[in-house]
Amino acid sequence: MKFLVFIFSLSSTLAVGQIDCVNCPPLSSVPLPTVTLPEVLPSLIDIKKVSYQRRSSVKHCKRPIDLVDTIVLHHSESSSQNSPQRINSYHLDRGWYMGGYTYLVNSPYRGESTPASVVTEGRPPELVGAHAGTDAYVPMRPKDKDAWNAGQILCGVEGGQFSPDSAELIRTKIVGGQRVEYMKANVTTIGVSVIGQYFGNAPRFQPTSNTLDMIAKLICRLQKENPNMVNLRVHNNYHPTDCPGNLGKASNLSYIVQKAQSYGCNFSSIPGHIKISTRINP
Amino acid sequence: MIRIGTFLLICLALLSGPAMAGLDSDVKALFEKHEKIIHLHQTELIEQVFSKRYIQDKGGLKDFEASIKEKPKADEKKLKDMSVSWKKGAVTDRILARREEMKNGKKDKGHTEYIVIKKDGKLIIDDTIGDAD
């Protein structure tokens, strides 16, 4: 009973907004403590997670995600109606560990309403992907060398021991009398693939502003999570291919970069077909 | 024990050899038709070569035909400038066929990989997949 009376008196006091206090300073003069809250990143775009089949006996490699400085744009060159799981299944049929792209974008062709627009995570970002080209290598930066020497880039199979695998990832070339070490471009990049094929002049195969905007939001979200990701490239910067078709047109890349900028991100991009890697036979 | 294993492997190779040879000629025949469609504009072969799903993704039969015909028609010599290799899927029954264009006897840039399936006992192209790796 006494407890109920206490609750009643407390609530009535709170209801009138004052608590009896002798010699209390007025509320406005009490300095408020400064609390630093963690920055809440605006969710530019949702990234769906799904489960994928994997081939546990196939070798794959792990890397520290902060080594990734480049996002490479692809198109899957397949039906636009494919699910990420279907692309994964195609890559499994190639004999791979799992799908090679890190993110997959479903978006309808111009004038169509399906598939639903959605971004899905593919191969986990901390795993080296399979997208830029097995023969595409880039010079090792000091931080790549540090990570390599610290044993942070490791290859192995599920359930087995992971170890450094220079035969898989590292090449050396003599350039101008200097010994240059190269690392597989897949280690320092992630692959973003738009599901569909964007070849040809037909309006259907020109990416819509919605598709380009989804890419901009995705890469900006990735940059906010990992500020090292500052370069936007396309597949044919690494490999002699027509991928990513019309997505790699200078006007479309410029649109993506400008959109990303409007979301607070900065990316450098270069036109398609300008080679930025060295092809070394695996 | 090893001899039995070797014997079984030889038997398997002997049994699967003719089947693989048959499949090989079927894949080659499929891509000969494919080349006739793409380079000689023989679009009446489309439905023998591509699945409904594939044609639908190209915008339907009419749009697909139009997209083929917008490219210049080549002469029959062009049909020989193409190499097809294939393998069975590591996980499913699909066939992954790689078509590469040749230039002066050398492989030209890039390639397309075709997803080939068996439908009603015949091989048919159901999808393609990019050359990311």
Side-chain angles (χ1 to χ4, degrees), chain A residues 133-146:
Chain A
T134 49
D135 57 355
Y137 285 79
V138 290
M140 282 179 92
R141 303 161 298 180
K143 70 178 193 175
D144 299 330
K145 288 181 185 172
D146 290 346

Side-chain angles (χ1 to χ4, degrees), chain A residues 108-141:
Chain A
Y109 286 140
R110 194 171 288 274
E112 295 190 3
S113 56
T114 60
S117 295
V118 62
V119 175
T120 308
E121 189 179 288
R123 186 180 293 212
E126 65 274 16
L127 300 184
V128 174
H131 63 98
T134 49
D135 57 355
Y137 285 79
V138 290
M140 282 179 92
R141 303 161 298 180

Side-chain angles (χ1 to χ4, degrees), chain A residues 7 13 33 57 64 89 118 140 143 168-169 172 189 205 210 233:
Chain A
I7 293 291
T13 308
S57 60
S89 157
V118 62
M140 282 179 92
K143 70 178 193 175
E168 174 70 24
L169 301 173
T172 306
T189 61
F205 301 127
N210 173 62
R233 302 287 182 259

Side-chain angles (χ1 to χ4, degrees), chain A residues 77-97:
Chain A
E77 215 181 314
S78 67
S79 164
S80 66
Q81 303 296 326
N82 284 342
S83 64
Q85 289 95 329
R86 192 175 184 117
I87 303 294
N88 189 72
S89 157
Y90 288 167
H91 286 176
L92 288 178
D93 268 340
R94 279 182 171 168
W96 295 2
Y97 170 63

Side-chain angles (χ1 to χ4, degrees), chain A residues 212-213 216-217 219-220 232 250-269:
Chain A
L212 300 175
D213 193 39
K217 283 178 173 163
I219 65 172
C220 189
L232 176 66
S251 57
N252 288 330
L253 292 177
S254 162
Y255 182 92
I256 293 168
V257 169
Q258 280 175 26
K259 271 282 173 185
Q261 201 167 17
S262 74
Y263 301 127
C265 292
N266 278 305
F267 279 93
S268 85
S269 75

Side-chain angles (χ1 to χ4, degrees), chain A residues 97-108:
Chain A
Y97 170 63
M98 65 180 297
Y101 303 118
T102 306
Y103 296 98
L104 300 106
V105 178
N106 276 112
S107 180

Side-chain angles (χ1 to χ4, degrees), chain A residues 76-80 82 86 89-90 92-94 96 109 130-134 186 197 204 235 240-242, chain B residues 53 56-59 70 87-92 94 96 109-110 112-113 115 126-133:
Chain A
S76 67
E77 215 181 314
S78 67
S79 164
S80 66
N82 284 342
R86 192 175 184 117
S89 157
Y90 288 167
L92 288 178
D93 268 340
R94 279 182 171 168
W96 295 2
Y109 286 140
H131 63 98
T134 49
N186 281 333
Q197 75 90 11
R204 172 185 179 76
H235 189 192
T241 173
D242 288 326
Chain B
R53 192 175 93 93
Q56 192 59 39
D57 200 66
K58 299 290 175 193
E70 82 180 14
K87 63 174 185 178
K88 278 197 149 188
V91 173
T92 72
R94 293 181 194 120
L96 278 68
K109 67 169 184 179
T112 301
E113 200 155 46
I115 304 294
D126 190 49
D127 208 351
T128 48
I129 186 123
D131 53 357
D133 61 2

Side-chain angles (χ1 to χ4, degrees), chain A residues 14 50 54 92 143 245 275:
Chain A
L14 288 173
V50 295
R54 293 175 302 194
L92 288 178
K143 70 178 193 175
K275 199 176 86 168

